[in-house]
Structures are given as structure tokens and as C-alpha cells.
Amino acid sequence: MVHYRLPTEVVFGAGTVAQLGSRLVEMGLSRPLVVTDRGVRDAGIVEKVLASLEGSGMRAAVFDGVESDPTTRVVEGIRDRLREEGCDSVVGVGGGSPMDAAKAAAALATNPGSPLEYVGRDKVRSDPLPTVAVPTTAGTGSEVTMFSVLIDSDSGSKVSIGDTRIMPRLALLDPELTLGLPEHLTAVTGIDALSHAVESYGSVWSHPIAEGLALRAIELVGECLRPAVAAGSNRAARRGMLMASLVSELAANSTRLGIAHALAIPVGARHHVPHGMAVALLLPHVVAFNEAADPDRYARIARALGAAEGEGAGRAMERLNYDIGIKDRLSGWGVGEDDLPGLAELAMKSDNVQANPRVAGEEELVAVLKAAL
């Protein structure tokens, strides 16, 4: 049985951010809180958002204190701000961190307790405040996901709230907002988008709807990521990458992922490796490990990515990393061999391990990590 649900309305195209105010008016809303980070605000993007909101008569407030990995404490701070300002809606503007924080805070505004009470699946009882997502990077696809990934402020571990209730009501994807993204961020967020598509396509829970979306996303990354990194003002490449990010998560939302993400979460939490970088360093080795489980499927991935004749998917991803300037190793982030068993043990707690196409226990996860050192 295939069950595919998308409660989020998606609007994609250059200049769509200008529709934000009028769309909120259509929803009967008037007092949004814009949730973002300082980098997005300094880039001038928040001003475009506010211009649309204020042009439609909105009284908008701004919270720009989201960190690169949002904490439960920050989410509680956003919830408090929503209540203090009497806000009736939330607009998440930025990469995955502001959008994830916005979704979680919108849920806390209408549900009692702390974010940790909603960690897991389907624990949100009351509908959150209406949320609109405006992505400024092409990577996480958080604008169409049921997940909000946070850092537990007390333990320092990553936790995830998963519930279709927290999915944004509207996603406005304007590729013009991604034009100023630096080369390095373009690269690592682009590989994050690729990883969602590749792991969704390989998932044991994959299905025909997700497969078509995932393969198209892989093709878009193969066509657009190199030129997007090489020339950040390339509008066609930026548009293609933002579409790849969206489409890959439309696939992965219903299939889960695999061991690249299962491993990236503890690597990021313990060694402060940004999520996109962690996935980029792990993905070629994970794919090389998984290719034996279904050679034909991974050959299709390689072809979709534009691999050279006879080149496997794992090798094609290594070459892509190199071409876009990702030449790090996990060891460069302070990960040593002694750390690997602990990281593998933590990764085994993720349900992404069960979705992986090749059975992997702690020993196999250690071997993948070692290959990435």
C-alpha cells in the first residue's frame, strides 16, 4: 500500500516572495512572526519579506536569533515571543534551521509543555499556528517536511519532532532569494538535497511516486550543482537546485532515508560538523556500501547523476564533491578511530537504519565511518 500526503501548498517561481502578504491576507491572518537568523537578515532577504507583509497591511514582528542548529531553548524563546506579540502565524525564512525552528515553535504556541514532549512521531495534538516557509537555500527541503530537527539544550543531542500537523500550510520558493548564497554553502546544501533523493530512491520503503521524484531530483543536481557553485548568479542553475531540493524531500518525506543520515546526526551532534558537510563526507561511502544490495538501482542513480561510462554511483558522488570544492575528511573535523564505535551505536537508534537497502549493524557503520576518515 502507498500512502502519499502533502498538506502543504507549494508556489515556485522567481518573485514569489512578493505574494507572501497577500497570501496571508487570504488566510485571514494579520500578525505574523518572521523567524530567521542573522545571516539571512544581513543579506537583506528579511527586508523583502517585510516589504510584502507590510504592503498588505500586516503588523509583522521578527525573531532573528536562530542558530545553525536550533536548540529547544531557542524554540521556547520563539514560542514566548509569539505569545508576547499576540501573533497569529509564523513565517520561517532561511535554511533548514529557521524553518525547523518555526515549525516547532508554531506547534508549541498551541500545545502545552516543552519541545521534548513532542519528540518522536505524531505527538502534536492541536493544530499549530499557520506556518509559511520561505527557503533561502537549496538543500534541506524543510518547507515540505513533517520533521523539525533540534538540539536538546540540556543533553546536546539531536532530537526530532515528526508530525504531519507541523508541515507548513504554504511554501513560497523564490530562486531569486538563493542568488547570494556563497559557494561553500551552495555546495554542501546541494549535496544535502542529493542525499535526500539518493537515500529515498534506495530506501526499502520506496514506492513509484517517490522513485519518480527522487530520480528527477538526482538529474537536476547532476545538471545544476556544478554551475550553481561555479557561478552563483546563474539563475537557471539556482532554479534547478531549488527545485531539486523541493522534489527530493517530496520523495523522502514518505520513504525515510538511510545510513548516511543515521550517521550524520551523531557526527554533527558530537563533533559539530554542519549537517550538509557531514552528509557530503559520508554519502559516497554509504552509496558504495549499498550498491551491492541492488546494482541495477544504483546504476540508474549513477546514470541520473550523469556518471561517466562504467562509473559507479559512489565514485560519481566522490567526483562531484571534488568538483564543487568539498575535499574534507571526517578526521579534519576531529573525528578519530576511537570515536567510531560510539557514533555507530548512536546511529543504530535511528529508524533510517531500517530504511537502508543493505542490512547494516554497528560493525558495518564503523566501516563506513572509517572509509570517510
Side-chain angles (χ1 to χ4, degrees), residues 58-275:
M58 301 277 169
R59 290 194 313 115
V62 178
F63 181 99
D64 62 6
V66 178
E67 318 104 311
S68 60
D69 287 304
T71 63
T72 53
R73 190 166 294 125
V74 161
V75 169
E76 290 172 332
I78 300 169
R79 174 204 59 197
D80 294 344
R81 183 74 182 280
L82 285 165
R83 293 173 177 172
E84 291 165 5
E85 298 280 354
C87 294
D88 59 9
S89 52
V90 187
V91 180
V93 182
S97 295
M99 288 190 288
D100 278 5
K103 291 188 293 186
L108 282 188
T110 58
N111 289 272
S114 75
L116 295 178
E117 294 177 42
Y118 302 97
V119 169
R121 294 294 298 272
D122 302 324
K123 294 184 179 180
V124 178
R125 296 299 171 223
S126 299
D127 286 339
L129 290 179
T131 305
V132 178
V134 182
T136 63
T137 65
T140 68
S142 179
E143 67 273 8
V144 289
T145 72
M146 67 179 76
F147 299 101
S148 174
V149 180
L150 308 170
I151 298 289
D152 179 349
S153 296
D154 294 326
S155 70
S157 61
K158 282 196 174 184
V159 294
S160 179
I161 299 170
D163 199 305
T164 56
R165 285 183 184 270
I166 74 170
M167 294 178 71
R169 185 178 297 186
L170 173 67
L172 290 178
L173 291 92
D174 187 342
E176 297 289 311
L177 301 183
T178 70
L179 289 175
L181 198 66
E183 290 181 12
H184 177 70
L185 285 177
T186 300
V188 294
T189 55
I191 295 296
D192 194 22
L194 175 63
S195 72
H196 297 153
V198 168
E199 294 212 285
S200 173
Y201 191 72
S203 169
V204 298
W205 298 318
S206 189
H207 53 80
I209 298 172
E211 287 174 350
L213 292 165
L215 276 179
R216 182 55 183 143
I218 295 167
E219 290 173 349
L220 284 167
V221 173
E223 295 164 7
C224 299
L225 183 53
R226 287 180 178 90
V229 172
S233 60
N234 184 325
R235 282 176 161 79
R238 290 293 191 183
R239 178 185 176 89
M241 284 307 304
L242 190 59
M243 182 61 76
S245 175
L246 167 70
V247 172
S248 65
E249 267 304 335
L250 292 178
N253 216 20
S254 63
T255 62
R256 303 301 287 126
L257 294 166
I259 59 174
H261 278 79
L263 287 165
I265 290 174
V267 166
R270 285 199 167 183
H271 296 277
H272 308 291
V273 185
H275 178 74

Side-chain angles (χ1 to χ4, degrees), residues 3 19 34 45 62 88 90 94 105 107 121 162 165 217 233 240 279 282 321 327 337 342 348 351 356 370-371:
H3 182 198
Q19 300 180 20
V34 176
I45 293 173
V62 178
D88 59 9
V90 187
R121 294 294 298 272
R165 285 183 184 270
S233 60
V279 170
L282 290 162
N321 273 352
K327 301 172 184 178
E337 285 202 37
M348 288 298 299
D351 61 359
N356 199 70
K370 191 172 183 178

